[in-house]
Amino acid sequence: MKTVYKEYRVDKTKIGFIRFIFEGHEGVAIATTLDPQKGHIRLAIAPDRLKTAQMIVEEFKKDFVFNEV
């Protein structure tokens, strides 16, 4: 199975928090900052954990900007 990559624009002040949460959910996804000034990140998501990653993203969207690019 191949890793699923998704890119998002997020509140740039929340990038560290986003990375921390995904690191805490080991094996779900790895968050990489592509452009910190614009809040552009990429998630490398394990295919069998896609649903879990989507649930985490939906929870983030309730609190701050988290838009798929």
Side-chain angles (χ1 to χ4, degrees):
M1 290 194 273
K2 291 191 171 199
T3 302
V4 177
Y5 295 97
K6 294 192 176 213
E7 294 187 17
Y8 298 90
R9 294 264 190 217
V10 301
D11 178 343
K12 65 183 179 182
T13 65
K14 302 292 187 186
I15 292 174
F17 175 71
I18 293 164
R19 292 175 57 118
F20 176 78
I21 294 298
F22 278 108
E23 286 174 8
H25 288 84
E26 192 171 322
V28 174
I30 297 171
T32 303
T33 305
L34 301 176
D35 186 339
Q37 298 302 323
K38 294 181 180 178
H40 188 191
I41 65 167
R42 178 178 58 216
L43 296 180
I45 306 167
D48 58 333
R49 298 295 197 97
L50 187 57
K51 186 175 180 180
T52 302
Q54 289 172 332
M55 289 184 345
I56 294 168
V57 168
E58 289 305 314
E59 287 299 314
F60 285 150
K61 286 181 178 181
K62 292 177 183 177
D63 296 323
F64 52 87
V65 175
F66 206 105
N67 298 320
E68 191 166 357
V69 187

